[in-house]
Amino acid sequence: MEKHEGGEWKMRFVNLKKIMWGCLAFVSTVLSVMGYYPLIPAVYGVYCLDSEHTVLFYIGLFAGMGYFISIPSMCKYLFIIAVISFVIRLYKWKNEKNICLVTSITAAVSTAVMNMSVAAFTDFENVKCVLAVSEGLIVFSAAFVFCRGYEYISAFRFKVREETGGLLPDREEAFRSAVFGLSGIITRANAMTAAENESKLPDTGERISREVTGRLCACCEGCSVCWTSDASVSDSIKMLVEAVCKRMKTEEIVQNRYVKGCPHYARMVEAANEAFARVELNEAWYRRLTENRRIIASQLDAVAQLMDDWGKAEKCIDKRRRLRLSRIYVAAREKGLIVENAHIYETAGHRICIKADVYTKEDGGIEAVKYVQAVSRAMGVQMRQAHETVSIITDELSTVVLYEENQFYALSGVATKKKTGSQANGDSCSMFQLDDGMYHVCVSDGMGSGKQAQAESTLVVDLLEKLLEAGFSRESALKLMNSAMVISAGEESYSTVDFATIDMYTGELELTKTGAAPSFIKSGKGVSVIENESLPAGVDAAQESVHSKNTLQSGDFLVMVTDGVLEYLHVKDRQEKLMDIIAGVKSDNAGVLAQEILDRVLLDTGGYAMDDMTVVAIGIWEK
């Protein structure tokens, strides 16, 4: 029913448009200026731009010309119309660049030339020449105004989207709710299981005592004698079990003879050790099960949070910026570019993002930078092209995404030194900027040194980068990375994570440390330290990373180092020493700054690296 009504309204609009073109053609023949009819070529020039032609236009045009215009003038304007039609259609077939200006010039020149030709074959007078040129100027002005208005009206008619961040918001909300619900069920089940086990199960010592007495005392012929004549047997067995739980050596337990007079004491010690081993193994598996449940719950939370972030990340504001949207179509057409399906979005940081399908009819294509310039002029805001988009716009439809240009840009430098005698550097780092204007820096120090440590730190860095590129937030990416490390890491396999995000629009720095060394901010001649204490990644899935926020100004540097840079400085206050080293480097080059810091640290250690060393320097400047 709704589809039928939509089709009916569309048909009514098409019919109304045809009637309006017919009326406009008729009205253009009414206005006369000193015997000339400048609106005829101007209106016809605009009509040539319309893709949907109608016979009503020609009916209105010929009816008006037959009623108001003389036969000679009619022949003149019919010839002008033919010239305009031929030139405009030929030009539109070739390209769409500056079509408004070309239409106006064609209509004006053809009108002026025709008038001059008529004057040359009749009485050639200066007045007629002036009138011919004057009509050409009037035609140019009218055609340009009409063409520009037609372009804006045509662009204004393009379909706009509702203010929503997704195509199926109801389904997205249902998905988020379902995933959050699954996470809550697993978390509650985990808590209930833990509570039940704590309330029902006896402690480890009592469980071992029961197993020992059940296996040996219950089967012993002297059980009734021991337990009736000596009431302290139970306490003696408890002392034996306590010694086993404290991991005393078997020989020492046997020698102490906790249960006196028992002929099966050696077997009792052996049974207690076996029971303790089983209990310990069961508890380890239970802890692992509980940990895995918690990891699954946290991963489900991260996925649900990702869906929530996607829903809030970009909101279409076509309705609020409809005029700007129409200006994009017109400005791009002036560059010879044809835009389809353009939409304006507002990001979570209240920045502009524009997505559109673009192509051109020009041979060889047009540089994408011209489209960026056109959109920037239309929006009144400098725009930049998203990563991994086309550099040349051709006749094939390409989706081009533009973001509002950021205020700052960042340059980074890295200096590394592997542990003396080691085969590989166990530190890894990555620097990258995403389309949302966030510059991310990740430095990881794998436990130990060599290829194993390098593999662990590389895994951390690569995983964080992929998660952020996929659209996960900082917090969700860090939680997923940590839970993945908990699952994959062994008992002695952890990595530190030093993760910084710099907002290239505001210069705001957010630094997250997971067992990482302190970082430093160099601002002019001053140096400040950022130090947060936390466990390395992979120790506990429930651990929370420590965050800190600062604001960087143009010319400031963020210096991030691994433990090996600080730990082996031969001074009492290592942080103060490193701050003096950073302040003493005068270079504004990030690469030089990082290398000189490392070189001066190595001077203090005599050139010997007792651990892997990495220094990362990031400087930001205003564009």
Side-chain angles (χ1 to χ4, degrees), residues 427-442:
D427 300 339
S428 297
C429 62
S430 176
M431 291 79 70
F432 57 97
Q433 181 172 336
L434 299 180
D435 289 327
D436 59 2
M438 298 297 170
Y439 189 88
H440 300 285
V441 185
C442 180

Side-chain angles (χ1 to χ4, degrees), residues 178-249:
V179 175
F180 272 128
L182 284 173
S183 173
I185 290 171
I186 294 173
T187 302
R188 288 193 297 273
N190 217 19
M192 290 175 62
T193 303
E196 289 176 0
N197 287 337
E198 287 179 4
S199 61
K200 293 181 179 180
L201 294 178
D203 60 22
T204 302
E206 187 176 348
R207 290 162 63 187
I208 296 174
S209 297
R210 288 182 180 180
E211 183 170 344
V212 169
T213 55
R215 285 179 57 186
L216 298 177
C217 295
C219 302
C220 181
E221 296 177 354
C223 177
S224 56
V225 178
C226 291
W227 285 83
T228 54
S229 62
D230 190 358
S232 64
V233 172
S234 177
D235 295 335
S236 300
I237 293 177
K238 287 182 179 180
M239 293 173 61
L240 165 65
V241 172
E242 287 178 3
V244 171
C245 292
K246 291 178 181 178
R247 303 180 186 277
M248 290 179 60
K249 293 181 179 181

Side-chain angles (χ1 to χ4, degrees), residues 463-480:
L463 181 59
L464 270 177
E465 185 171 346
K466 289 175 182 177
L467 289 171
L468 289 166
E469 288 176 347
F472 285 89
S473 65
R474 280 174 48 88
E475 292 74 16
S476 298
L478 286 166
K479 286 181 180 178
L480 284 173

Side-chain angles (χ1 to χ4, degrees), residues 502-578:
I502 306 174
D503 189 337
M504 291 289 105
Y505 291 105
T506 62
E508 182 177 323
L509 164 69
E510 185 171 357
L511 194 61
T512 303
K513 291 186 175 294
T514 309
S519 298
F520 305 88
I521 296 177
K522 182 183 180 185
S523 181
K525 296 181 179 180
V527 178
S528 57
V529 63
I530 304 173
E531 183 179 15
N532 296 322
E533 293 184 0
S534 61
L535 295 173
V539 176
D540 182 9
Q543 72 184 35
E544 294 292 334
S545 300
V546 183
H547 304 266
S548 61
K549 290 187 177 182
N550 299 83
T551 300
L552 301 179
Q553 305 296 330
S554 181
D556 288 354
F557 284 89
L558 170 66
V559 179
M560 304 167 71
V561 300
T562 54
D563 291 337
V565 176
L566 267 173
E567 286 183 358
Y568 300 103
L569 288 173
H570 301 305
V571 290
K572 184 177 181 180
D573 193 340
R574 299 188 184 96
Q575 288 187 18
E576 190 68 30
K577 174 66 175 179
L578 190 54

